[in-house]
Amino acid sequence: GDSVTQMEGPVTLSEEAFLTINCTYTATGYPSLFWYVQYPGEGLQLLLKATKADDKGSNKGFEATYRKETTSFHLEKGSVQVSDSAVYFCALSDGGGSNYKLTFGKGTLLTVNP
Amino acid sequence: GAGVSQSPRYKVAKRGQDVALRCDPISGHVSLFWYQQALGQGPEFLTYFQNEAQLDKSGLPSDRFFAERPEGSVSTLKIQRTQQEDSAVYLCASSVAAGTLNTEAFFGQGTRLTVV
């Protein structure tokens, strides 16, 4: 079945550092890929998505590129802020009849210190 | 309301007790989803509604779990005879479209269920 493996946390960075959170996936067909973020005390929010190979999703300075050849969707940000502290989840939905269903990774806790 | 609302936010149940968790989706949203998130894990799919029709319940872990959305808006997830392994955060999400994630799914804050 479909699965998502993401970088184990927690990750602790200083403000303005470069961030990478690795995500790889296993899926049949052509999945759509997502990054969700959960800020403390809030619900999951969609951060960015990509629906086909070589697409780049971007939002709030975060980027991720859908790499079919390496089955990866790594999240990057050039300069993190304290306000980026949150749990980040990589997820996919398959391209077939269950495209409403999200399969999530375990999440990566990011803490950014001033 | 402005977002997906879940109640209660926290629920402590004694083992064997029945519980009911409520989800108020965003008004007009066709699709509604329930996920279960165990401690330290990502959310796992439980069930999917399109309006009042439950189109997929493949993720429900046992026949003790039951979900309904009788009028195509509010949904209730019921767990009968709760067991310790049911302890988790239960997330509800809704989206405006039917059967596709090309539109965004909006999540509630979840209900944290602790079975003692």
Side-chain angles (χ1 to χ4, degrees), chain B residues 1 14-15 30 35 59 62 65 74 81 87 89 100 107 112:
Chain B
K14 292 184 178 179
R15 192 171 52 186
V30 168
Y35 285 81
S62 76
F65 286 71
V74 171
R81 304 181 304 282
S87 296
V89 176
T100 176
F107 282 80
R112 181 179 297 278

Side-chain angles (χ1 to χ4, degrees), chain B residues 1-3 7 9 21 25 44 47 51 62 64 68-69 75 78 84 89 98 101-102 111 115:
Chain B
S7 61
R9 288 290 315 280
L21 312 180
E44 293 192 358
T47 187
N51 295 309
S62 76
R64 296 185 297 104
E68 61 183 5
R69 194 186 185 199
S75 177
K78 298 179 179 178
Q84 284 193 317
V89 176
L101 281 174
N102 287 326
T111 295
V115 180

Side-chain angles (χ1 to χ4, degrees), chain A residues 34 36 41-44 46 49 51 89 93 99-102 104-106, chain B residues 33 35 37 41-43 45 48 56 58 99-102 104 107-109:
Chain A
F34 306 82
Y36 275 81
E42 299 185 16
L44 285 165
L46 179 63
K49 69 179 184 183
T51 58
F89 292 91
S93 67
N99 64 0
Y100 49 81
K101 186 187 304 187
L102 286 164
F104 286 90
K106 291 186 177 183
Chain B
F33 315 86
Y35 285 81
Q37 186 176 14
Q41 304 296 313
F45 173 82
Y48 164 60
D56 186 340
S58 62
T100 176
L101 281 174
N102 287 326
E104 182 175 349
F107 282 80
Q109 291 180 287

Side-chain angles (χ1 to χ4, degrees), chain B residues 18-57:
Chain B
D18 297 349
V19 298
L21 312 180
R22 178 187 171 104
C23 173
D24 283 85
I26 294 172
S27 178
H29 277 198
V30 168
S31 294
L32 185 143
F33 315 86
W34 284 98
Y35 285 81
Q36 180 191 56
Q37 186 176 14
L39 188 64
Q41 304 296 313
E44 293 192 358
F45 173 82
L46 293 178
T47 187
Y48 164 60
F49 289 86
Q50 183 177 316
N51 295 309
E52 69 278 4
Q54 188 175 22
L55 299 187
D56 186 340
K57 54 182 181 178

Side-chain angles (χ1 to χ4, degrees), chain A residues 14-27:
Chain A
S14 297
E15 205 164 24
E16 299 184 3
F18 184 85
L19 169 70
T20 300
I21 302 177
N22 290 337
C23 172
T24 58
Y25 67 90
T26 302

Side-chain angles (χ1 to χ4, degrees), chain A residues 1-2 9 12 26 30 32 43 47 49 54 61 68 93-94 103:
Chain A
D2 297 345
T12 302
T26 302
Y30 302 95
S32 295
L47 180 60
K49 69 179 184 183
D54 300 324
K68 191 169 185 293
S93 67
D94 74 28
T103 299

Side-chain angles (χ1 to χ4, degrees), chain A residues 14-114:
Chain A
S14 297
E15 205 164 24
E16 299 184 3
F18 184 85
L19 169 70
T20 300
I21 302 177
N22 290 337
C23 172
T24 58
Y25 67 90
T26 302
T28 55
Y30 302 95
S32 295
L33 301 174
F34 306 82
W35 278 99
Y36 275 81
V37 59
Q38 187 170 31
Y39 299 104
E42 299 185 16
L44 285 165
Q45 301 174 26
L46 179 63
L47 180 60
L48 53 84
K49 69 179 184 183
T51 58
K52 61 183 188 296
D54 300 324
D55 268 3
K56 177 186 284 188
S58 61
N59 187 25
K60 300 181 181 180
F62 291 88
E63 294 183 340
T65 301
Y66 187 149
R67 300 287 188 201
K68 191 169 185 293
E69 64 276 12
T70 54
T71 62
S72 65
F73 193 55
H74 304 320
L75 183 68
E76 297 183 335
K77 186 174 185 183
S79 176
V80 293
Q81 305 301 312
V82 172
S83 58
D84 294 327
S85 298
V87 181
Y88 292 81
F89 292 91
C90 186
L92 68 81
S93 67
D94 74 28
S98 301
N99 64 0
Y100 49 81
K101 186 187 304 187
L102 286 164
T103 299
F104 286 90
K106 291 186 177 183
T108 302
L109 173 63
L110 170 66
T111 302
V112 181
N113 294 319

